[in-house]
Amino acid sequence: MQEAQAPVELQGDAQFRCESCHSLQDATKVEVWVRLPDVLVLHVSRALWTPAGEKIKLRNLVDFPLHGLDLSEFVEEDGPWIYDLLAAVVHHGKLLESGHYTAYCWNREFERWLLFNDLKVTYADEKHLFQAQAYLLFYSRRKP
């Protein structure tokens, strides 16, 4: 989150066009989040472009919290802005252009994780979430 809000210098070919005088100017772009949605979707980038122009899939594991993701320090509006994981989507396959998708979803009624794999739904352990190569994470904001 800190990286997403880090200032970006707009210079050279990336200069900012002034809305008043329409001239190109050096500028600093800053991302500010006034508030966040009740359901937050985080996309984990799983693609990397090589110098040769080839797109490859990144397979590294990403550490993410199941409970208590506190984003309050990144949001201007008073919070708390605390989230719990609802679901994670996983892509299976060597190539980004093909493969299979599964989803881990938290079931509040059973208080268990479920794994959705086409027509098959099974119970899943939390440790499987961390071993999976999730690329979409769905978080639900706790009620203040």
Side-chain angles (χ1 to χ4, degrees):
M1 298 304 166
Q2 291 167 338
E3 189 176 316
Q5 289 188 328
V8 175
E9 297 299 322
L10 302 177
Q11 300 172 342
D13 291 341
Q15 283 184 313
F16 172 77
R17 182 173 300 278
C18 177
E19 292 179 11
S20 300
C21 68
H22 305 290
S23 67
L24 293 175
Q25 302 177 9
D26 287 346
T28 302
K29 180 179 89 170
V30 179
E31 182 106 9
V32 177
W33 300 334
V34 176
R35 60 174 296 129
L36 294 173
D38 288 338
V39 175
L40 181 69
V41 181
L42 299 179
H43 175 253
V44 179
S45 180
R46 291 279 178 204
L48 176 69
W49 289 94
T50 67
E54 182 185 16
K55 191 172 168 183
I56 60 172
K57 181 179 178 181
L58 299 175
R59 301 179 183 285
N60 54 320
L61 297 179
V62 177
D63 187 25
F64 54 89
L66 295 179
H67 310 286
L69 174 62
D70 189 352
L71 300 177
S72 300
E73 70 178 283
F74 303 104
V75 184
E76 286 193 349
E77 192 173 291
D78 288 340
W81 297 92
I82 301 173
Y83 291 82
D84 297 310
L85 190 67
L86 282 178
V89 177
V90 178
H91 175 263
H92 305 270
K94 293 181 180 181
L95 303 175
L96 291 166
E97 295 79 15
S98 63
H100 182 70
Y101 294 91
T102 59
Y104 291 90
C105 301
W106 178 251
N107 183 296
R108 290 182 177 148
E109 182 180 341
F110 300 124
E111 294 188 357
R112 294 201 57 184
W113 286 98
L114 300 176
L115 172 60
F116 291 81
N117 186 351
D118 290 336
L119 298 176
K120 186 176 180 183
V121 179
T122 57
Y123 290 119
D125 194 286
E126 284 183 0
K127 69 179 178 182
H128 295 125
L129 275 165
F130 296 113
Q131 294 168 350
Q133 296 171 2
Y135 85 99
L136 288 177
L137 301 169
F138 293 78
Y139 282 91
S140 176
R141 183 178 179 205
R142 289 183 188 171
K143 300 296 179 202

